[in-house]
Amino acid sequence: MKQNVQPKPKRLSRKLTEQKILLAAEDVFALYGYQGAAINTIAELTGLTKQNLLYYFPSKEVLYQKVLENILDLWLDKMALLAQRGDDPKTMIASYIKGKMEISQSHPNGSKVFATEIIQGAPHLKDYLVSHLLPQLEEDVKLINEWIAADKMDPVDPYHLFFMIWASTQTYADFSSQISLALGKEQLAETDFEKATEFLTQLLLKGLGVK
Amino acid sequence: MKQNVQPKPKRLSRKLTEQKILLAAEDVFALYGYQGAAINTIAELTGLTKQNLLYYFPSKEVLYQKVLENILDLWLDKMALLAQRGDDPKTMIASYIKGKMEISQSHPNGSKVFATEIIQGAPHLKDYLVSHLLPQLEEDVKLINEWIAADKMDPVDPYHLFFMIWASTQTYADFSSQISLALGKEQLAETDFEKATEFLTQLLLKGLGVK
DNA sequence: GTCTATAAGGGGATAGAC
DNA sequence: GTCTATCCCCTTATAGAC
């Protein structure tokens, strides 16, 4: 007879159901924004009733916060220049752009939720940005300034450099509808992301005078 | 006795009231998105009741469409490289960046409404983009390719170049909450936009090898 | 854990008096 | 043109049976 049934192998473990809900929620929040998203829609996508969804997440607000957390956990590493492989500006900047573009490709809806949140003044996010993103940014700014001092690249404003990289990479997730329209495609393909990565890398390394 | 009372000088002309509503609507749609925005909020900002607002604009949908139209009319010129002064790549690209940045500074909420719309798949905008923006983009791409053929700049993909410029300039409107947080300011100042413009111009002209 | 029923409120929009 | 009153639907959330 089974003895080790402590974790209770339900039909679907609670963790797994929560994961399914969170995935569906990310899609719906990306498409309609926080207010526009109906938990009913999320529930249906997951195969639940909305009352049942509220058993797993006690409120829409809590669910949204969880979606944001998941995205941010995934993002934070990639947002750090210092976390990249390599030790010279050239490979690290190239790696940084590549990592950011890969996230735009693999998690476009997470990016959209984040973008909408920032556009609307980051009401659910300001604290997180201050406590997690900003300290990391300061470290990265310091690194850029060291490179400049060591004459490894042109003297530029590090902050605006990061704003430019964030914008130019995230736009392939957030503005994909406009971009695919401009490129005459139903949706962006692998090669589009590769071309974009190549363009940005080339432009930046040359434009920054990276040696 | 008054004879020329044909245009009926009401307390506030219809046109003026509509303008006030449209301005308030732009702010509220920018802050909450289409679904999240309540016409009640817009009406209060204008000093009207929502029923009265609905006298001027028969539905929320129509009001939103009008807001979008206003923004796009303003934008279209600035989105065209060909519309810039100058006849050499250097001055035209510089002028293009400057114009886009000025719009981010002067009409941040219009930019935010536009951005949210694109993020959500451009449901109210696709037709306009196809009929107005894309033809203009094609002309601009042609121009860039001519410059490349004439060896006035490096051979780059013109499309990704425009995506990059759009993203990097509009981010100062759309993501201003994040940027001002990073810069440690309550809100962005004139000098921040100047620095950003300078940074982008310098980076692009050098990075593109513009002669 | 999942269901039905229902509360409670907000939102867009219309009717009609003034 | 502006107001009050009202309709009706949709949404979040809770209660309680199974």
Side-chain angles (χ1 to χ4, degrees):
Chain A
M1 281 182 256
K2 314 173 204 163
Q3 278 180 302
N4 306 336
V5 212
Q6 297 108 349
K8 281 192 183 177
K10 292 272 172 55
R11 219 168 301 180
L12 227 80
S13 77
R14 178 162 189 127
K15 270 268 178 280
L16 236 70
T17 307
E18 284 176 358
Q19 276 309 313
K20 278 190 64 177
I21 294 172
L22 284 168
L23 270 179
E26 190 174 290
D27 293 356
V28 176
F29 282 129
L31 207 49
Y32 302 105
Y34 175 72
Q35 350 261 349
I39 52 174
N40 193 23
T41 312
I42 300 170
E44 279 174 9
L45 270 178
T46 321
L48 300 170
T49 61
K50 73 173 169 187
Q51 292 90 338
N52 201 184
L53 183 152
L54 285 169
Y55 167 77
Y56 289 95
F57 295 91
S59 75
K60 183 182 180 178
E61 176 74 25
V62 168
L63 174 57
Y64 182 68
Q65 288 280 2
K66 265 288 172 196
V67 168
L68 278 181
E69 268 180 45
N70 277 7
I71 298 164
L72 292 167
D73 284 349
L74 180 75
W75 270 36
L76 204 60
D77 281 355
K78 307 282 182 171
M79 294 285 282
L81 179 58
L82 267 168
Q84 308 308 313
R85 295 171 186 286
D87 53 1
D88 63 308
K90 204 169 203 163
T91 55
M92 285 183 80
I93 290 176
S95 163
Y96 187 57
I97 295 169
K98 190 155 181 284
K100 288 282 299 165
M101 284 295 304
E102 280 171 358
I103 275 213
S104 282
Q105 187 179 6
S106 62
H107 294 76
N109 285 332
S111 184
K112 285 179 182 181
V113 174
F114 179 83
T116 305
E117 180 59 24
I118 301 289
I119 289 174
Q120 300 184 1
H124 304 83
L125 221 54
K126 226 162 210 164
D127 291 346
Y128 185 96
L129 293 183
V130 171
S131 61
H132 290 74
L133 184 62
L134 293 199
Q136 212 175 66
L137 175 62
E138 291 305 320
E139 291 299 313
D140 284 346
V141 164
K142 214 178 290 177
L143 177 59
I144 297 281
N145 280 329
E146 284 169 15
W147 288 345
I148 292 173
D151 198 33
K152 291 182 176 173
M153 57 179 279
D154 294 348
V156 299
D157 187 313
Y159 289 98
H160 292 286
L161 171 59
F162 282 105
F163 303 153
M164 181 260 155
I165 298 178
W166 295 344
S168 301
T169 51
Q170 288 168 205
T171 197
Y172 288 91
D174 305 338
F175 279 31
S176 62
S177 71
Q178 188 184 23
I179 291 177
S180 56
L181 220 58
L183 295 179
K185 308 192 169 188
E186 276 300 311
Q187 57 173 11
L188 299 183
E190 174 82 28
T191 54
D192 298 316
F193 285 93
E194 285 166 3
K195 274 189 191 171
T197 305
E198 195 194 324
F199 168 79
L200 282 174
T201 308
Q202 178 188 326
L203 178 81
L204 271 167
L205 291 182
K206 177 164 181 173
L208 296 171
V210 175
K211 280 138 203 163
Chain B
M1 281 182 254
K2 315 173 202 164
Q3 279 181 302
N4 306 335
V5 211
Q6 298 108 347
K8 282 193 183 174
K10 292 272 173 53
R11 220 167 300 180
L12 228 78
S13 78
R14 175 158 192 131
K15 270 267 179 280
L16 237 70
T17 307
E18 285 176 358
Q19 278 309 313
K20 278 189 64 177
I21 294 172
L22 284 167
L23 270 178
E26 192 174 291
D27 293 355
V28 177
F29 283 128
L31 208 48
Y32 303 104
Y34 175 72
Q35 349 261 348
I39 52 174
N40 193 22
T41 312
I42 300 171
E44 279 174 10
L45 271 179
T46 322
L48 300 170
T49 61
K50 75 175 168 183
Q51 293 89 339
N52 201 184
L53 183 151
L54 286 169
Y55 167 79
Y56 290 96
F57 296 90
S59 74
K60 183 183 181 178
E61 176 75 25
V62 168
L63 174 57
Y64 182 67
Q65 287 281 2
K66 264 289 169 196
V67 169
L68 278 181
E69 269 180 45
N70 277 8
I71 298 164
L72 293 167
D73 285 350
L74 179 75
W75 270 35
L76 203 59
D77 281 357
K78 306 283 181 171
M79 292 286 281
L81 179 59
L82 267 167
Q84 309 308 312
R85 294 173 187 285
D87 52 0
D88 64 308
K90 204 170 203 163
T91 55
M92 285 182 79
I93 290 175
S95 163
Y96 187 57
I97 294 169
K98 189 155 182 283
K100 287 284 297 166
M101 285 294 304
E102 280 170 358
I103 275 213
S104 282
Q105 187 179 7
S106 62
H107 293 76
N109 285 333
S111 184
K112 286 179 181 181
V113 174
F114 179 84
T116 304
E117 180 61 23
I118 301 290
I119 288 174
Q120 300 185 359
H124 305 84
L125 220 56
K126 227 162 210 166
D127 292 345
Y128 185 96
L129 294 182
V130 171
S131 62
H132 290 75
L133 183 62
L134 294 199
Q136 212 175 66
L137 174 62
E138 291 305 319
E139 291 299 314
D140 284 346
V141 165
K142 213 178 292 176
L143 178 60
I144 297 283
N145 280 328
E146 284 168 15
W147 288 345
I148 292 173
D151 197 33
K152 291 181 176 173
M153 57 179 279
D154 294 348
V156 299
D157 187 313
Y159 289 98
H160 292 286
L161 170 59
F162 282 106
F163 302 152
M164 179 260 156
I165 298 178
W166 294 345
S168 300
T169 51
Q170 288 167 206
T171 196
Y172 287 91
D174 304 338
F175 279 31
S176 62
S177 70
Q178 189 184 23
I179 291 177
S180 55
L181 220 57
L183 295 179
K185 307 192 170 187
E186 276 300 311
Q187 57 173 13
L188 299 183
E190 175 81 29
T191 54
D192 299 314
F193 285 93
E194 284 166 4
K195 274 189 190 172
T197 306
E198 195 193 324
F199 167 78
L200 282 175
T201 308
Q202 178 188 326
L203 179 80
L204 272 167
L205 291 182
K206 177 164 182 175
L208 297 171
V210 175
K211 281 135 203 166

